[in-house]
Amino acid sequence: MGTAELMLAGGFVGGTVVTAALLWFHERRTRRGLEDVSGRLRRAEARTHTLLRESHDVLAVVAADATITYLSPGAERVLGASATAYVGAPLPSLVHPDDRGRIAAALAAPVTGDEERRAEFRIRHRDGHWLLLEATVDDRRDDPSFEGLVVSCRDVSERRHAEAELCEAHERFRSAFEHAPIGMALVGLDGRFVRVNRALAQMLGRAEDQLAGASVLTLTHPEDHAAAHDGIGRVLGGDPSTRVEQRLVHVDGRPVWVAVTMSLVRDHMGGPRYLVAQVEDVTERRASGDRLAHQAIHDPLTGLPNRVRFVEQLHDALRHQSGGGRPAVLFVDLDHFQVVNDSLGHAAGDRLLVAVADRLRAATRPTDTLARFTGDEFTILCEGVPDEATAVELANRVSNAVAKPVTLVEGEVYVTASVGIALATGELETPEALLRNADVAMHHAKELGRARADVYDAHAHDRAIQHLRTGNELHRALERHELLMHYQPILSLETGRVSGFEALIRWQHPERGLVGPDEFVSRAEETGLVVPIGVFALEASCQQAVRWHQRGAPVTISVNLSPRQLAEPTLVDSVAAVLGHTGIDPRLVWLEITESTLMHDAESAVRTLSALRALGVHLSVDDFGTGYSSMTYLKRFPVESLKVDRSFIDGLGRDAEDSAICTAVVSLAHALGLRAVAEGVETPEQLAELRTLGCELAQGYLFGRPAPPDTWGARPDHQLAFGRR
Ligand code: C2E
Ligand code: CA
Ligand code: CA
């Protein structure tokens, strides 16, 4: 209730007493009220002072002439000096010279509407350093309590500093990101690029903005999706930094090998925000790594897988055999490769191997594994081979592919290959066993005359083992006089009488019994033992011929010479020596050399044959028709007879082709002034044909098998008369 109201109330009650009492009461209340008001004011003032002093803001009242008329006590805490020190000073004088214009403008500009006026300026702290204040200006010039501008200032030095640092850090990151020499990417949690740098874009042949927003997986090589996924999963799962090697895909489609190091960037609440990925192009390193790995399992000359790789593949093939067919191994060995190497040089040999590798590649299926095993040996692994016939077909294709002339700088070279085939048996087999079997079969193909294929069979293996054993035993055979000669008569078709014998070697083996030359001569040839064995054969044969001669039968003696013997530089001397100490008439001696041996190195054969001929012996070309004779050489060789190979005699009179060949060979012999000798004559029909052809001499089971000398009596030339049967 106000005082006036009380007075009215008193008057209404009526009476002076009431009024006086009311007046006293009123007066007392008024006094107490005044005391109350001033106390409250003081308290409020103290509170305001404290708030202003503690506030981080400084309030100033600036008069129209820019002098400071009031400064809040907070100034002390912000500026380091008491507020009174500043009162009366013009505000611009305290401000950094560069900011004075700005503050003056802020103070002078007219205020429009409710808009706040703000300005930032530097002011010096008591201790000399500059503070950055942010000021908000409130125009109170018309307010009598202020009569100026109320400027509220806040120290923003630290905040600005932090902002600048953040900005700088950000800029540093941006610059590092943009200009990093390796690829960088920010990847969102949705697996899309947020941002990529130039290096990464270049790595992929794309523009930077083309990549932003693109899904990482669509740029990842399909085979590496799992690896990429796994890497991202690990980072999100808390792995602080994860490294993955994977392929990305270049815009032109080629794979780019990269090493990706990823780390997680979190937001201020600690949640995952995005991934930062460093992407390093490691294609080169991978390529050189791949190269090394490639080199380890490939042959540098032909580029084919090498032995190591082949055995690995074979191993896998044997382990993972499926229902359809079996793995087969083809062992391909070039025939007489050494001859090319020795005569034309290693460079030519290398080129020949490369050419052969190309042919083999063309002759095999893409699913086959072709390898260069060693030197002139190649191996082929064929999987899913249904039967032996298919394997043989493959082998024939391979051997036909090789057997075509190869043109080298040095000229045309004719090579053939012997191929051995081994099919997995379906039992537990090792790669080594299968390879060994194919190798055995290959050697057998060589024994069968080279340039052909042969399939492994267990018997062949036994034979091969026998072959090896034979080598060791042959040494002893010579010393222990286990070798002997059998003689097969050669008849004159003119007289029907024996005109001579071919000496054919035999081995009286202590366990195996009488062993034929087919079982040991090739081994003797390989070991070189054929040279002393050949001397023995010549010597024994000449001694026998001398014996027959002494008994009045001047029969000729034909002795076989092997390729190795012909190549032996001591051949002529040792023949001369045997002639000398056996005392044989050299005109009774015929040396037989196969056609292929002669043509193998025809030029040196011409020399050797001439030297032999000069000793007085005669020379004969054996197995004629099986090799590839050059007419030029045939004319130059000082030979006097051609022995038509047994294989042609076989079909004589029955087979048109064989008959034609026999006719041609006999005519050829005659045209060259040579005598024709038919070997392997088994039937009277063959004999009749040969007589019609005018063949001079014949030999064969029809007349007699090779046998010990006594079989033929003391005067074989008289005792044995055939032809008029
Ligand atoms: P070759 O020089 O062609 O000897 C002829 C071969 O034909 C002999 O085989 C002989 O027994 C066989 N033969 C003769 N007539 C007939 C016939 O009517 N039908 C059939 N089916 N075969 C007949 P052999 O004695 O087994 O000799 C095989 C090869 O061993 C010889 O073939 C020769 O190349 C070689 N050889 C034999 N003795 C010697 C030798 O002392 N030194 C050398 N280096 N090689 C020899
Ligand atoms: Ca012969
Ligand atoms: Ca022969």
Side-chain angles (χ1 to χ4, degrees):
M1 198 191 287
T3 308
E5 282 163 279
L6 275 173
M7 286 198 310
L8 276 175
F12 175 73
V13 174
T16 315
V17 177
V18 174
T19 309
L22 276 175
L23 276 173
W24 172 82
F25 184 72
H26 172 71
E27 196 187 279
R28 204 179 136 215
R29 273 205 57 173
T30 308
R31 217 177 336 109
R32 270 186 50 193
L34 282 173
E35 277 171 15
D36 264 10
V37 168
S38 71
R40 280 213 303 274
L41 265 174
R42 265 202 318 279
R43 282 198 299 279
E45 203 173 305
R47 202 164 52 227
T48 308
H49 186 83
T50 307
L51 286 174
L52 287 172
R53 195 184 61 223
E54 298 303 322
S55 164
H56 287 277
D57 291 346
V58 179
L59 289 171
V61 179
V62 180
D65 64 354
T67 46
I68 299 171
T69 56
Y70 169 80
L71 198 62
S72 67
E76 179 140 19
R77 146 204 278 290
V78 176
L79 299 171
S82 101
T84 49
Y86 294 95
V87 173
L91 176 60
S93 70
L94 303 171
V95 168
H96 190 282
D98 291 352
D99 299 345
R100 274 178 203 154
R102 189 146 19 97
I103 195 69
L107 295 177
V111 179
T112 51
D114 286 341
E115 182 200 43
E116 270 185 336
R117 223 175 308 156
R118 283 173 181 276
E120 265 180 26
F121 60 93
R122 280 164 288 178
I123 197 160
R124 203 188 278 283
H125 188 271
R126 177 101 184 276
D127 68 11
H129 76 272
W130 292 100
L131 297 174
L132 181 68
L133 297 188
E134 183 190 61
T136 315
V137 181
D138 185 12
D139 194 342
R140 293 277 173 168
R141 277 178 292 201
D142 299 335
D143 184 337
S145 322
F146 294 100
E147 291 181 328
L149 301 159
V150 176
V151 182
S152 164
C153 302
R154 173 166 294 184
D155 179 4
V156 293
S157 311
E158 256 171 42
R159 200 177 78 204
R160 285 285 177 275
H161 183 67
E163 278 171 4
E165 270 193 343
L166 194 68
C167 186
E168 201 190 326
H170 185 261
E171 182 52 35
R172 266 204 307 272
F173 173 76
R174 198 193 61 78
S175 167
F177 183 94
E178 289 306 332
H179 303 116
I182 62 166
M184 299 281 289
L186 291 186
V187 180
L189 298 177
D190 59 354
R192 291 176 182 281
F193 288 115
V194 175
R195 195 153 139 196
V196 304
N197 72 347
R198 198 172 320 138
L200 180 58
Q202 272 170 0
M203 211 182 283
L204 301 178
R206 296 170 191 270
E208 286 149 80
D209 52 1
Q210 206 187 349
L211 286 174
S215 147
V216 174
L217 280 191
T218 58
L219 291 158
T220 299
H221 193 278
E223 283 170 29
D224 294 339
H225 279 188
H229 230 275
D230 178 59
I232 293 175
R234 267 187 289 155
V235 183
L236 293 176
D239 198 341
S241 137
T242 303
R243 195 183 138 95
V244 178
E245 263 190 34
Q246 58 158 89
R247 281 157 294 181
L248 295 176
V249 183
H250 190 270
V251 72
D252 65 15
R254 76 182 143 84
V256 180
W257 271 104
V258 290
V260 185
T261 311
M262 283 177 283
S263 45
L264 185 63
V265 175
R266 296 178 182 279
D267 61 21
H268 64 284
M269 302 291 281
R273 179 106 190 264
Y274 45 63
L275 304 170
V276 183
Q278 291 179 29
V279 185
E280 194 184 345
D281 188 340
V282 294
T283 310
E284 257 310 301
R285 173 169 63 64
R286 290 291 293 219
S288 67
D290 286 355
R291 258 198 306 281
L292 280 179
H294 183 90
Q295 277 165 12
I297 55 167
H298 285 82
D299 162 47
L301 178 67
T302 59
L304 292 176
N306 64 10
R307 180 191 199 124
V308 174
R309 179 80 188 127
F310 186 83
V311 173
E312 268 173 21
Q313 292 275 101
L314 180 53
H315 203 270
D316 286 354
L318 287 173
R319 257 198 318 196
H320 304 121
Q321 285 186 55
S322 54
R326 294 175 275 159
V329 169
L330 275 66
F331 209 108
V332 182
D333 185 289
L334 298 187
D335 301 323
H336 307 303
F337 174 71
Q338 204 46 43
V339 177
V340 176
N341 241 357
D342 292 349
S343 53
L344 300 179
H346 284 270
D350 281 356
R351 284 197 300 276
L352 178 61
L353 287 172
V354 171
V356 168
D358 287 343
R359 285 179 182 189
L360 292 175
R361 227 183 248 125
T364 47
R365 301 169 301 180
T367 48
D368 298 337
T369 303
L370 166 67
R372 180 168 174 216
F373 206 64
T374 54
D376 63 340
E377 292 173 343
F378 295 87
T379 45
I380 302 166
L381 165 65
C382 305
E383 292 184 59
V385 177
D387 49 26
E388 205 174 286
T390 313
V392 172
E393 207 178 288
L394 269 168
N396 284 333
R397 200 167 70 217
V398 163
S399 115
N400 289 339
V402 175
K404 282 178 194 131
V406 178
T407 312
L408 301 178
V409 203
E410 293 80 2
E412 254 190 7
V413 181
Y414 183 76
V415 270
T416 57
S418 298
V419 184
I421 313 157
L423 262 149
T425 54
E427 288 155 29
L428 286 176
E429 239 163 352
T430 60
E432 291 72 25
L434 204 56
L435 271 164
R436 189 201 57 214
N437 293 352
D439 189 24
V440 167
M442 183 275 289
H443 274 103
H444 194 233
K446 288 225 188 250
E447 280 167 30
L448 293 175
R450 303 175 201 266
R452 52 172 297 156
D454 194 50
V455 185
Y456 170 80
D457 67 292
H459 302 300
H461 186 209
D462 294 345
R463 277 199 303 277
I465 292 200
Q466 188 63 61
H467 185 73
L468 289 177
R469 198 177 295 147
T470 300
N472 303 327
E473 292 179 348
L474 265 178
H475 274 286
R476 274 170 299 158
L478 254 181
E479 292 160 12
R480 296 182 186 172
H481 308 290
E482 290 168 5
L483 299 176
L484 60 143
M485 302 312 288
H486 276 187
Y487 299 90
Q488 186 179 30
I490 300 174
L491 278 90
S492 155
L493 293 186
E494 261 169 87
T495 65
R497 287 174 181 278
V498 171
S499 70
F501 289 91
E502 176 169 7
L504 295 158
I505 197 160
R506 300 291 181 264
W507 179 5
Q508 188 61 57
H509 192 280
E511 288 137 34
R512 291 157 65 193
L514 194 65
V515 177
D518 284 342
E519 287 181 55
F520 65 89
V521 170
S522 68
R523 186 69 185 137
E525 180 77 9
E526 281 169 19
T527 56
L529 272 175
V530 78
V531 174
I533 288 176
V535 172
F536 157 80
L538 183 65
E539 197 162 66
S541 308
C542 289
Q543 278 163 356
Q544 182 56 45
V546 167
R547 238 169 267 140
W548 275 319
H549 197 184
Q550 283 166 350
R551 290 175 204 155
V555 287
T556 61
I557 190 78
S558 299
V559 182
N560 294 287
L561 287 188
S562 78
R564 184 97 169 226
Q565 284 175 278
L566 191 74
E568 197 62 31
T570 58
L571 174 71
V572 178
D573 289 344
S574 60
V575 171
V578 172
L579 296 178
H581 69 251
T582 56
I584 193 169
D585 177 350
R587 289 171 299 175
L588 293 177
V589 178
W590 284 79
L591 296 179
E592 294 189 358
I593 303 150
T594 64
E595 182 185 21
S596 47
T597 307
L598 288 174
M599 292 304 161
H600 179 59
D601 184 0
E603 206 47 59
S604 83
V606 169
R607 285 193 300 275
T608 312
L609 296 192
S610 305
L612 289 171
R613 186 71 192 90
L615 297 176
V617 300
H618 300 285
L619 300 165
S620 187
V621 182
D622 204 353
D623 300 348
F624 192 80
T626 57
Y628 298 86
S629 278
S630 133
M631 280 305 133
T632 327
Y633 279 117
L634 216 46
K635 273 199 293 194
R636 285 179 60 199
F637 291 141
V639 294
E640 287 154 287
S641 78
L642 294 186
K643 286 187 92 166
V644 186
D645 193 67
R646 213 162 68 211
S647 56
F648 305 117
I649 304 296
D650 193 39
L652 188 59
R654 278 191 296 115
D655 180 286
E657 205 174 304
D658 280 357
S659 303
I661 292 175
C662 285
T663 313
V665 172
V666 173
S667 325
L668 175 70
H670 294 163
L672 291 168
L674 311 175
R675 294 189 310 172
V677 187
E679 63 178 2
V681 182
E682 293 182 351
T683 67
E685 292 72 29
Q686 292 167 339
L687 173 61
E689 285 285 331
L690 290 165
R691 291 178 107 169
T692 321
L693 289 178
C695 183
E696 281 82 5
L697 295 157
Q699 169 188 358
Y701 293 170
L702 177 65
F703 317 115
R705 293 184 178 245
D710 300 345
T711 319
W712 311 113
R715 289 293 310 271
D717 56 332
H718 284 180
Q719 271 187 31
L720 290 154
F722 305 94
R724 288 185 221 285
R725 279 204 269 177

